[in-house]
Each structure stands twice: as structure tokens, then as C-alpha cells.
Amino acid sequence: MGKLVVAAAVAGWAIPIAALVNSVVPEPYMDEIFHVPQAQQYCHGDFLTWDPMITTPPGLYYVSLAYLASFFPVAWMFRVAETFDVLCSTTVLRSTNVIMAMVCAVLFHDLLLCIRPGIGERKATTYAILVALYPVHWFFTFLYYTDVASLAAVLAMYLFCLKKHFWISAMFGAFSILFRQTNVIWIIFFAANGAISYIQDLYPKGNVSHENIEATHQSDKVVSGRDNKTAAQGLRRRRINSPMSKKVVVSESSKLYNKEVWDICLKLWNSKCEVLIAFAPFVFVMVAFVAFIIWNGGIVLGAKEAHVVSPHFAQFLYFGLVSAAALLPWHFTPSRILDLFHLSGKNKTCSFLAVLMGFGLSFIAVHFFSIAHPYLLADNRHYTFYIWRKVIQVNWMMKYVLIPLYVYSWFSIINILGKTQKRVWVLSFVLSVALVLVPAPLIEFRYYTIPFVTLVLHFPVIGNGKLLALGLLYVAADLFTLVMFLFRPFHWEHEPGTQRFMW
């Protein structure tokens, strides 16, 4: 029932808004001027012609062909379309992403129930609708871009990996690369953590989890309390919250975390044959991807000079702040700030070193590795143009003033993930985000969607009131961007045609 509610909710707003977008902007716009003609070439049966300005593989065009083929017999029967290629209008091609948005919402719903079985059908439905309203994802539901279909393929890959259908998962992983090449990182991420889960099922008694760690902490307190009572006869009582006790607890926690990592490595080595056999489909995908890079001479297909791999470490910081801001109730509340301060007070030495390292690395990233791509500087049709000019570069100091927000955002994200996920999972997620975003020289919020959705899937559940408030903020941002895009067009002096503001 929850799936039907989610799909109906997304269709309820997506279909009329798509009709509105197509009536106001009937012609291809922005990147659509490359994608729509290329898809129409495929509709004509021409699979050899390729636009050299397109950087991504033709996954979206294949999905559109399958989508069009599903209702072409009916259109032909009622003489709506005599030939297949007539259906390949901009309007119909855009509707591909409306269907993909519905698929994304249903997959998110199923993933949430799989990851958190106790969350309940109603809560999972609410979360799925909320993610469908996430402004960047929502906006590109109505245009012919690769992002929505890319997210659908990655979510399907993750869902089947969790269900241990590894061949199907790898198939969706390979398909996800056809939408965006950087999805190969998410294949590695999900497969690696799937392998860890797989070997832990083989050795269920030897698992070291956060529950074990918390139980150990509690037992330490209980034992310490009993020892205090025993030592009361003739000995001075020790408080459990003394500095020495804190050091012991932190030391034990560190040992348990190290034991967790060592335990996983040992089990992977002992079960290497079983793991290799089970995860062979992912190995095949990786081998095929490496062969593609060698054949293509790089990761992007076209416009290679504008998409050169660059050490854009500041992009990693931007993602942290953007995601924390988009998940406001989890990060920027008084209770959350106090919680982080309380956590840092438990072990002042380690916390001080961690914060100092965070500030140091962030300063290096901002000072030496902030890249201003020519597209960013020249194109005033995007939010990033104004954020860069009016915020980050408003004066020489501002980019450094933002460093505390970057550090806070990432510390908050890691801390929240650490409460529900193993340390290996958190570390691999952070590395995956870095591998996806750091090489990209252009600041694009679209690149943040997959890691953002992954965060929502693994963050703790919050109350309905906070979810409603966040949903209303998303709706406000959605409507503002849509109104600006549709009804506030402008013109450039140096280029003919109508320009529109968008994400």
C-alpha cells in the first residue's frame, strides 16, 4: 500500500507540473539541446551518430526507447503515431524522468524498510515523499537530464545488494554507469559493504557491532559501580566520571573499533573464495569499466577539455555544508550543537586534535584547491553563479570565514552516521564522496544527489513535525525555482535566445 501511495503522490504533482513546463518551455533548454536530438537519432534507428559535446553514455536514451516502445503499439493502433520516431518529441522524452521520479520514490521507500525494518510503513512513505521533494532532484524531474534515471539505477543496485541478489544488483550497477560514469564509485561502495555484511552472516557469532560497544560501555559502568561499593570498606571511593575512568572507556572503545576492523579483514581473507564467487558479477563490471577507460582514453565521452580531472578538494567541503543545510533538523538545532559539544568534552585531547586537523585540512582545501570553472564564472543561470560571487567570493576573507561551517557540517554528518553504522561503513562513505566529487572541477548541486539520498537513508528517524517543516521548506524552494525558471526569463546581449534561471 505504501508503494502505491508514494507513486500516486509523486504522479499527483509531477504530471501537472510537467504539463506546465512543457507548455511554457516546449523547446529543449540548456543541456537538453544535446540530449534531446541524440535521443531522437536513436528513435530514428541511428545508433552510430554521436554528439561530441555529450559527456555521459547513452543510458537515458535506451530507457526512453524502452519507455516509448511500451506504448507505441497502442499509439499506432489508434493512429496517434504512424511511426515510432514521431513519439520522440521533447515533451514525451521529458516524461521519461517523471516515470523515473516515481521509481526513485518507490525504491527509496523499499530501501528504508529494508535498512530500518522497524520504521513502519507510514513513516517510510513520508520519508519517500520528502526525498521526492528534495529541490535539486525535484526540478530535474521535469527536464531531459540524466540525474533522475541515474539515481533510480543506483537505488535499485543498492536494494538488490541488500537483498543479496548480487547478479541483479551488478546488472543495475552496470546500467547506472550508462547514466553517469562516476556511479562506478557507488558500485564499489555498495559491493564492498555488501561483502562485509555477507561474511558477517557467515560468522554470526563473531560480529563486533556498535551494540556490542555500547553494551561494553554500560557493563564498564555497572562493574565500576559495583567495585566502588566493594571498595567502600576501608578504601576511598572513585567516581565513574573521573578523568582516569574516561580515558579507560575511550581506550576500550578504540580497542573495540580496531578489533572490528581487524575482525572484518580476517574474515574477508578466510572467506575470500566464497566472497569472490558471490561478488563475481561486480568484478566483471569493474573489469569492463577499466576496459572502457582504456578504450576511451578517459572517463568522459565528449567535451573532455571542459571536464578535466582536477584536485577540487573544496567541492568535498561544499557537499558537507549543502547536505547539512538540506537536512536542517538533524544538524542545525540547539540540541544538536550541545550534543556535539558534550561529545567533544568527553575526550578533550582527541577532540581538540580532530578539530585542529579538520580546520587545517579545510584551510588547505579552500586556499589551494578552490577551483572556479569557466562555466561557473560565465553562466548566470544557476544558483552556484550567485553563491560563488555573492557569498564565497564577496571578499577575500569570506571563503575562510565559512571554514567553521564546513568543519561543523562534516563532524555532524560523521557523528550521526557513526551512531547507526560501523566505522568501516562511515569511512568508506566519506572516501566515496571524495572520489566522486573531488575530481569534478565544476560546482554542480546535481552531483550531490546520490550521496545526499544515501545520508537520508542512514540517518536516524525524526518526528513528524520536523519532517513536515522540512517538507514545507523543500516545497518553497521548489516553487521559487520553478517560478523563476518559467516566468522570469531574461536575455543575454552577446547571445540570441531566451535564458532561464535553474539549478
Side-chain angles (χ1 to χ4, degrees):
M1 185 63 182
K3 295 180 185 180
L4 292 176
V5 172
V6 169
V10 175
W13 72 63
I15 293 174
I17 292 176
L20 175 64
V21 170
N22 286 310
S23 65
V24 178
V25 190
E27 298 300 320
Y29 182 70
M30 196 69 78
D31 287 5
E32 286 185 321
I33 64 174
F34 308 114
H35 292 306
V36 169
Q38 185 63 57
Q40 290 172 343
Q41 290 287 345
Y42 277 44
C43 285
H44 295 151
D46 182 4
F47 295 95
L48 299 179
T49 302
W50 185 259
D51 188 332
M53 292 302 295
I54 297 176
T55 62
T56 52
L60 181 61
Y61 319 136
Y62 294 145
V63 169
S64 294
L65 286 178
Y67 164 62
L68 295 173
S70 65
F71 60 79
F72 172 69
V74 177
W76 179 83
M77 186 182 302
F78 290 96
R79 296 296 185 267
V80 176
E82 295 292 340
T83 58
F84 184 78
D85 61 282
V86 172
L87 295 176
C88 289
S89 64
T90 302
T91 298
V92 176
L93 289 172
R94 284 174 177 171
S95 68
T96 304
N97 277 335
V98 173
I99 302 299
M100 287 294 103
M102 295 167 62
V103 172
C104 283
V106 171
L107 287 171
F108 184 92
H109 171 273
D110 287 355
L111 272 167
L112 205 55
L113 288 176
C114 189
I115 294 168
R116 303 177 181 279
I119 192 174
E121 188 79 29
R122 183 175 297 179
K123 200 78 167 184
T125 301
T126 304
Y127 265 78
I129 293 172
L130 177 73
V131 168
L133 289 169
Y134 171 58
V136 181
H137 170 69
W138 183 88
F139 182 83
F140 288 101
T141 297
F142 311 110
L143 297 178
Y144 197 58
Y145 275 60
T146 62
D147 302 271
V148 179
S150 173
L151 176 63
V154 171
L155 291 179
M157 170 180 63
Y158 190 21
L159 180 62
F160 283 105
C161 188
L162 288 177
K163 292 184 175 182
K164 295 182 171 53
H165 301 313
F166 299 126
W167 280 97
I168 301 176
S169 177
M171 180 190 70
F172 277 108
F175 200 45
S176 73
I177 296 175
L178 294 181
F179 297 108
R180 180 157 292 157
Q181 297 91 315
T182 52
N183 286 340
V184 70
I185 302 299
W186 301 113
I187 296 175
I188 297 171
F189 171 70
F190 293 132
N193 285 284
I196 292 172
S197 176
Y198 181 80
I199 59 107
Q200 287 177 334
D201 289 342
L202 294 178
Y203 302 93
K205 294 182 179 180
N207 291 345
V208 180
S209 65
H210 286 269
E211 289 77 7
N212 299 136
I213 294 169
E214 291 299 324
T216 304
H217 287 180
Q218 294 298 326
S219 65
D220 285 344
K221 293 180 181 179
V222 171
V223 171
S224 299
R226 290 174 180 171
D227 289 344
N228 286 340
K229 291 179 181 178
T230 305
Q233 300 175 354
L235 296 175
R236 185 175 63 183
R237 298 176 66 184
R238 293 183 179 179
R239 290 177 8 184
I240 187 61
N241 60 348
S242 66
M244 184 60 70
S245 298
K246 289 180 182 178
K247 289 180 181 179
V248 170
V249 170
V250 171
S251 175
E252 288 298 320
S253 175
S254 178
K255 287 180 182 177
L256 285 169
Y257 277 131
N258 291 334
K259 183 181 177 183
E260 175 192 318
V261 175
W262 174 251
D263 186 57
I264 289 170
C265 293
L266 189 62
K267 287 174 181 175
L268 282 171
W269 176 254
N270 290 337
S271 308
K272 54 186 177 293
C273 292
E274 293 93 331
V275 172
L276 282 173
I277 292 171
F279 288 83
F282 296 100
V283 176
F284 295 152
V285 173
M286 292 306 303
V287 171
F289 183 74
V290 172
F292 159 76
I293 291 178
I294 295 172
W295 169 79
N296 186 55
I299 194 168
V300 297
L301 288 180
K304 295 181 180 180
E305 64 286 347
H307 296 82
V308 178
V309 173
S310 308
H312 194 183
F313 288 99
Q315 180 103 270
F316 179 76
L317 303 179
Y318 303 151
F319 167 77
L321 180 55
V322 169
S323 296
L327 297 173
L328 197 69
W330 280 272
H331 299 286
F332 293 102
T333 60
S335 59
R336 178 65 190 146
I337 295 170
L338 288 174
D339 185 35
L340 282 181
F341 273 109
H342 177 69
L343 182 67
S344 64
K346 289 184 178 180
N347 186 7
K348 294 181 179 178
T349 302
C350 288
S351 298
F352 175 76
L353 291 175
V355 171
L356 187 64
M357 182 179 292
F359 272 91
L361 292 174
S362 298
F363 178 84
I364 292 171
V366 166
H367 187 74
F368 295 104
F369 300 103
S370 292
I371 297 175
H373 195 281
Y375 290 176
L376 173 68
L377 300 176
D379 197 339
N380 67 340
R381 296 171 294 183
H382 305 283
Y383 279 105
T384 49
F385 173 87
Y386 299 96
I387 292 172
W388 180 263
R389 293 189 57 158
K390 304 296 184 182
V391 180
I392 297 175
Q393 292 293 321
V394 67
N395 57 55
W396 71 270
M397 241 176 82
M398 192 60 189
K399 63 180 181 181
Y400 303 110
V401 172
L402 292 171
I403 288 177
L405 283 175
Y406 299 146
V407 174
Y408 173 84
S409 298
W410 265 112
F411 268 71
S412 182
I413 288 170
I414 291 171
N415 176 254
I416 291 175
L417 288 176
K419 291 179 179 179
T420 57
Q421 303 300 318
K422 292 180 173 59
R423 180 181 249 190
V424 173
W425 193 99
V426 178
L427 178 62
S428 60
F429 173 77
V430 173
L431 288 175
S432 298
V433 173
L435 288 171
V436 169
L437 297 181
V438 169
L442 182 62
I443 302 173
E444 272 277 16
F445 291 146
R446 294 185 292 124
Y447 301 162
Y448 302 169
T449 301
I450 292 174
F452 172 82
V453 172
T454 305
L455 285 179
V456 180
L457 281 169
H458 295 91
F459 269 16
V461 178
I462 59 174
N464 291 329
K466 290 182 177 180
L467 285 176
L468 177 61
L470 187 61
L472 291 174
L473 285 175
Y474 284 1
V475 170
D478 292 338
L479 293 179
F480 173 79
T481 308
L482 185 66
V483 169
M484 293 294 291
F485 177 73
L486 295 179
F487 305 116
R488 293 298 298 273
F490 56 96
H491 297 85
W492 285 344
E493 293 181 0
H494 62 280
E495 186 175 314
T498 301
Q499 308 304 327
R500 298 179 182 277
F501 180 79
M502 60 187 293
W503 278 101

